[in-house]
Amino acid sequence: MSDDVVIFLSYAHDDDLTLSPAPDEPGFVSFLDQQLRLKLRDLGARQANVWRDRNRIDQGDQFADIIDDGLKRAELFVVVMSPNWMQRPYCRKEFETFLSLRKAAGVANPATRMLVVGKGYVDRSTRPPELQGQEGFLFYSRDDENDVGAITPFFNRGKCNDRFYAELDDLAGGLQKRVTQILSGAPTPPQTIQQSAPIVAPSGRTVFLAKPASDMKAAYVRLVTELQGKGFNVAPDPSADAPSDKSAEPFLTDALSSAEVFVHLVGDSGGFAPESLGNIVTLQLALARAKAAQADGPPGQKLTRRIVWAPKILDGGGAAPAGPAVERDPLKALERFDQQIATDKIDGDILSKFIEFLFQYLTETAPKPVVTAAAGNKLDLYLAYHTTDDDYAGAIAQALLESSVKPRIPVADSNADARRYNSDLLAKCDAVTLCWGNASEVWVRSEADRLSDWQALGRKGQFAFRGLIAGPPPASHKKKSTLSLIFQDGEFDKVIDLVETGPPTAQLLADLTSAPSHKP
């Protein structure tokens, strides 16, 4: 009927396969379609018309006219979400076509006309941005304990359990409400992001994530999900749009003032332009540059830098562009919007690699915990050393016995029990110091890398400090100027040069017993 509300069912052909030899077994999508129609009739939603293409082919990349006609009439769009749906170009084309048609029809936020039906698990951060704000109606359960992530479907080999019908009732009820709203002409309530229980406790750290232009929106949503999932606060508030008038500047300045790092996503678009302030990408870069330049102020002031993602290959999230991809120069991409300064970190790799880079930086720059010993107790200091430096490590431990730290020497054996004991000891100690005498530079560098990832060591928090004691014999790579070049990324908070001072003494090691000085 012409006044029916058409509900377009978008699915991948492989999600409707039959998995047993029974000739009358329905696939998941066919059974869902059948039961959904019946339930909508049971609810009295007779003007809800579910539209599904029943003649899909495995290589269904061509956009058939019959599908195009179904999308033109569709007012609601139901995605049978699964890894198969994410991988099918024709599914993405259906999705994008529905979005563009609803926008052309005057629907302000087409995402409110979409519902997700979960057949298989897909991380919300990897979905198209318009589908990330809802968890969806899940027709499976997932065991997240012990990082197993096992999936238990509610429908399997033609049979379903009671949980399938309970989820079906909720899905049909949600569709009925939307059908009623569309028929009455009432606006669809805005879609809100469902807040799940935090995976980790809030870290108390804030990251400024610049509001994106349209070509960086998908990456922005992904980064919000990743940062908040690890306990970071994101500023400005991801749910609030930047003002379109002159108040945009104080809005952004306030967000910058609360953050320890400024992250910018630079595509080809400058985005909208707040009143007389230039485009939003340029405005945020300029404000962050001025803030970051304050690092050149008083000594000891905390360094706040811009981290810019300007990918060499732009991917809008749609179908692959025709012809070979054109690479951009990340530095030139930034210079289109703002000048580069010395403290900037600029990355042009793919998004997943940039996210790894960003979290590595955040881990390395995390504030060191303030560790204080209870009355009568000392801070545990793990002395890491190569077997060639047994005697020198012992001398350092002896010199520290009368200080405010308690030196802890690992077991020298290399068997499994010794390695396990040393790992447990390192995870529990308050601080760590490398003793470098006869060991090679390669060993010291590899140990520095290992100790920088405190989470991989099984620790519950950062070390109070990471120290390095450079002792005899003398070598060119142990000179203070060389050490500053080798370890310039914050691997060590304290470096003590004892190469030519003679045996270690408590006085020479006094820096290990004091609070670590700030190192940007």
Side-chain angles (χ1 to χ4, degrees), residues 208 211 235-236 241-258 264 272-291 294:
F208 176 89
K211 292 293 184 180
D241 293 330
S244 58
D245 56 17
K246 292 182 179 180
S247 65
E249 185 168 350
F251 171 82
L252 296 169
T253 300
D254 180 63
L256 287 164
S257 66
S258 65
H264 300 263
F272 77 98
E275 182 181 347
S276 71
L277 293 175
N279 68 64
I280 192 67
V281 171
T282 298
L283 174 62
Q284 292 173 109
L285 283 166
L287 292 173
R289 171 169 46 82
K291 192 77 173 175
Q294 296 177 4

Coordinates of all heavy atoms in Angstrom, one line a residue, residues 208 211 235-236 241-258 264 272-291 294:
F208 N 42.7 16.6 24.6 CA 42.0 17.5 23.6 C 41.9 16.8 22.3 O 43.0 16.6 21.7 CB 42.6 18.9 23.5 CG 42.0 19.8 22.5 CD1 40.9 20.6 22.9 CD2 42.3 19.8 21.2 CE1 40.3 21.5 22.0 CE2 41.7 20.6 20.3 CZ 40.7 21.5 20.7
K211 N 37.6 19.0 17.2 CA 36.4 18.7 16.4 C 36.7 18.5 14.9 O 37.5 19.3 14.4 CB 35.4 19.9 16.6 CG 34.8 20.0 18.0 CD 33.9 18.8 18.4 CE 33.3 19.0 19.7 NZ 32.4 17.8 20.1
A235 N 38.1 16.2 25.6 CA 37.6 17.5 25.5 C 37.9 18.1 24.2 O 38.9 17.8 23.6 CB 38.3 18.4 26.6
P236 N 36.9 18.9 23.6 CA 35.6 19.3 24.1 C 34.7 18.0 24.2 O 35.0 17.0 23.5 CB 35.1 20.3 23.1 CG 36.3 20.7 22.3 CD 37.2 19.6 22.3
D241 N 28.4 20.0 19.9 CA 28.9 20.6 18.7 C 29.6 21.9 19.1 O 29.3 22.6 20.0 CB 27.8 20.9 17.7 CG 27.2 19.7 17.2 OD1 27.9 18.7 17.1 OD2 26.0 19.7 16.8
A242 N 30.7 22.2 18.3 CA 31.4 23.5 18.5 C 30.5 24.7 18.1 O 29.7 24.5 17.1 CB 32.7 23.5 17.7
P243 N 30.4 25.8 18.8 CA 29.5 26.9 18.5 C 29.9 27.4 17.1 O 31.0 27.3 16.6 CB 29.8 27.9 19.6 CG 30.4 27.1 20.7 CD 31.1 26.0 20.1
S244 N 28.9 27.9 16.4 CA 29.1 28.5 15.1 C 29.3 30.0 15.1 O 29.4 30.6 14.0 CB 27.9 28.1 14.2 OG 26.7 28.7 14.8
D245 N 29.4 30.6 16.3 CA 29.6 32.0 16.3 C 30.9 32.3 17.0 O 31.7 31.4 17.2 CB 28.4 32.7 17.1 CG 28.2 32.1 18.4 OD1 29.1 31.4 19.0 OD2 27.1 32.4 19.0
K246 N 31.1 33.5 17.5 CA 32.4 33.9 18.1 C 32.7 33.2 19.4 O 33.8 33.2 19.9 CB 32.4 35.4 18.3 CG 32.5 36.2 17.0 CD 32.5 37.7 17.3 CE 32.6 38.5 16.0 NZ 32.7 40.0 16.3
S247 N 31.6 32.6 20.0 CA 31.8 31.9 21.3 C 32.6 30.6 21.1 O 33.0 29.9 22.0 CB 30.5 31.6 21.9 OG 29.7 30.7 21.2
A248 N 32.9 30.2 19.8 CA 33.7 29.0 19.5 C 35.1 29.1 20.1 O 35.6 28.1 20.6 CB 33.7 28.8 18.0
E249 N 35.6 30.3 20.1 CA 37.0 30.5 20.6 C 37.1 30.2 22.1 O 38.0 29.4 22.5 CB 37.6 31.9 20.3 CG 39.0 32.0 20.6 CD 39.6 33.3 20.0 OE1 39.0 33.9 19.2 OE2 40.8 33.6 20.4
P250 N 36.3 30.9 23.0 CA 36.4 30.5 24.4 C 36.0 29.1 24.7 O 36.5 28.5 25.6 CB 35.5 31.5 25.1 CG 34.6 32.1 24.0 CD 35.4 32.0 22.7
F251 N 35.1 28.5 23.9 CA 34.7 27.1 24.0 C 35.9 26.2 23.9 O 36.1 25.3 24.7 CB 33.6 26.8 23.0 CG 33.2 25.4 22.9 CD1 32.3 24.8 23.8 CD2 33.7 24.6 21.9 CE1 32.0 23.4 23.7 CE2 33.4 23.3 21.8 CZ 32.5 22.7 22.7
L252 N 36.6 26.5 22.8 CA 37.8 25.6 22.5 C 39.0 25.9 23.5 O 39.7 25.0 23.9 CB 38.2 25.8 21.1 CG 37.2 25.4 20.0 CD1 37.6 25.9 18.6 CD2 37.1 23.9 20.0
T253 N 39.2 27.2 23.8 CA 40.2 27.6 24.7 C 40.1 26.9 26.1 O 41.0 26.4 26.7 CB 40.3 29.1 24.9 OG1 40.5 29.7 23.6 CG2 41.4 29.5 25.8
D254 N 38.8 26.8 26.5 CA 38.5 26.2 27.8 C 38.9 24.7 27.8 O 39.4 24.2 28.7 CB 37.1 26.4 28.2 CG 36.7 25.7 29.5 OD1 37.2 26.2 30.5 OD2 35.9 24.8 29.5
A255 N 38.5 24.1 26.6 CA 38.9 22.6 26.5 C 40.4 22.4 26.4 O 40.9 21.5 27.0 CB 38.2 22.1 25.2
L256 N 41.1 23.3 25.8 CA 42.5 23.2 25.7 C 43.2 23.3 27.1 O 44.2 22.6 27.4 CB 43.1 24.2 24.7 CG 42.9 24.0 23.2 CD1 43.1 25.3 22.5 CD2 43.8 22.9 22.7
S257 N 42.7 24.2 27.9 CA 43.3 24.5 29.2 C 43.2 23.3 30.1 O 44.0 23.2 31.1 CB 42.6 25.7 29.8 OG 41.3 25.4 30.2
S258 N 42.3 22.3 29.9 CA 42.2 21.2 30.7 C 43.0 20.0 30.3 O 43.0 18.9 30.9 CB 40.7 20.8 30.9 OG 40.2 20.3 29.6
H264 N 44.9 16.4 16.7 CA 44.2 17.0 15.6 C 44.2 16.0 14.4 O 45.2 15.4 14.1 CB 44.9 18.3 15.1 CG 45.0 19.3 16.2 ND1 44.1 20.4 16.3 CD2 45.9 19.5 17.2 CE1 44.4 21.1 17.3 NE2 45.5 20.6 17.9
F272 N 33.4 23.7 8.9 CA 32.7 24.9 8.9 C 33.5 26.0 9.5 O 34.5 25.8 10.2 CB 31.3 24.7 9.7 CG 31.5 24.7 11.2 CD1 31.3 25.8 11.9 CD2 31.9 23.5 11.8 CE1 31.4 25.8 13.3 CE2 32.1 23.5 13.2 CZ 31.8 24.7 13.9
A273 N 33.0 27.3 9.3 CA 33.8 28.4 9.8 C 32.9 29.2 10.8 O 31.9 29.8 10.4 CB 34.1 29.3 8.6
P274 N 33.3 29.1 12.1 CA 32.6 30.0 13.0 C 32.7 31.5 12.6 O 33.7 31.8 12.0 CB 33.3 29.7 14.3 CG 33.9 28.3 14.1 CD 34.3 28.3 12.7
E275 N 31.8 32.2 13.0 CA 31.7 33.7 12.6 C 33.0 34.4 12.8 O 33.6 34.5 13.9 CB 30.6 34.3 13.5 CG 30.4 35.8 13.1 CD 29.3 36.4 14.1 OE1 28.6 35.7 14.7 OE2 29.2 37.6 14.1
S276 N 33.6 34.8 11.6 CA 34.8 35.7 11.5 C 36.0 35.0 12.2 O 37.0 35.7 12.5 CB 34.6 37.0 12.2 OG 34.5 36.9 13.6
L277 N 36.0 33.7 12.3 CA 37.1 33.0 13.0 C 37.9 32.1 12.1 O 38.8 31.4 12.5 CB 36.7 32.2 14.2 CG 36.1 33.1 15.4 CD1 35.6 32.2 16.5 CD2 37.2 34.0 16.0
G278 N 37.5 32.0 10.8 CA 38.2 31.0 9.9 C 37.6 29.6 10.1 O 36.7 29.4 11.0
N279 N 38.0 28.7 9.3 CA 37.5 27.3 9.4 C 37.9 26.6 10.7 O 38.9 27.0 11.3 CB 37.8 26.4 8.2 CG 39.3 26.1 8.1 OD1 39.9 25.4 9.0 ND2 40.0 26.6 7.1
I280 N 37.1 25.6 11.1 CA 37.3 25.0 12.5 C 38.6 24.3 12.6 O 39.2 24.3 13.7 CB 36.1 24.1 12.8 CG1 36.0 23.7 14.2 CG2 36.1 22.9 11.9 CD1 35.7 24.9 15.2
V281 N 39.1 23.7 11.5 CA 40.4 23.0 11.6 C 41.5 23.9 11.9 O 42.3 23.7 12.8 CB 40.6 22.1 10.3 CG1 42.0 21.6 10.3 CG2 39.6 21.0 10.2
T282 N 41.6 25.0 11.1 CA 42.6 26.0 11.3 C 42.5 26.7 12.6 O 43.5 26.9 13.3 CB 42.5 27.1 10.2 OG1 42.7 26.5 8.9 CG2 43.6 28.2 10.4
L283 N 41.3 27.0 13.1 CA 41.1 27.7 14.4 C 41.7 26.8 15.5 O 42.4 27.3 16.4 CB 39.6 28.0 14.6 CG 39.3 28.5 16.0 CD1 39.9 29.9 16.2 CD2 37.7 28.6 16.1
Q284 N 41.3 25.6 15.5 CA 41.8 24.7 16.6 C 43.3 24.5 16.6 O 44.0 24.5 17.6 CB 41.1 23.3 16.5 CG 39.6 23.5 16.8 CD 38.8 22.1 16.6 OE1 38.4 21.5 17.5 NE2 38.7 21.8 15.3
L285 N 43.9 24.3 15.4 CA 45.3 24.2 15.3 C 46.0 25.4 15.8 O 47.1 25.3 16.5 CB 45.7 23.9 13.8 CG 45.5 22.5 13.3 CD1 45.6 22.4 11.8 CD2 46.5 21.5 14.0
A286 N 45.5 26.6 15.5 CA 46.2 27.9 15.9 C 46.1 28.0 17.4 O 47.1 28.4 18.0 CB 45.5 29.0 15.2
L287 N 44.9 27.8 18.0 CA 44.8 27.9 19.4 C 45.7 26.9 20.2 O 46.3 27.3 21.2 CB 43.3 27.7 19.8 CG 42.3 28.8 19.3 CD1 40.9 28.3 19.7 CD2 42.6 30.1 20.0
A288 N 45.8 25.7 19.6 CA 46.6 24.7 20.3 C 48.1 25.0 20.1 O 48.9 24.8 21.0 CB 46.3 23.3 19.7
R289 N 48.4 25.6 19.0 CA 49.8 26.0 18.8 C 50.2 27.1 19.8 O 51.3 27.0 20.4 CB 50.0 26.5 17.3 CG 51.4 27.2 17.1 CD 51.6 27.4 15.6 NE 50.5 28.0 14.9 CZ 50.2 29.3 15.0 NH1 51.0 30.2 15.7 NH2 49.2 29.8 14.3
A290 N 49.4 28.0 20.0 CA 49.7 29.1 21.0 C 49.8 28.5 22.4 O 50.7 28.9 23.1 CB 48.6 30.2 20.9
K291 N 49.0 27.5 22.7 CA 49.1 26.9 24.0 C 50.3 26.1 24.1 O 51.0 26.1 25.2 CB 47.8 26.0 24.2 CG 47.6 25.5 25.6 CD 47.0 26.6 26.5 CE 46.7 26.1 27.9 NZ 46.2 27.2 28.7
Q294 N 53.7 27.7 25.0 CA 54.0 28.1 26.4 C 55.0 27.2 27.0 O 55.6 27.5 28.1 CB 52.7 28.1 27.2 CG 51.7 29.1 26.7 CD 50.4 29.0 27.5 OE1 50.3 28.2 28.5 NE2 49.4 29.8 27.1

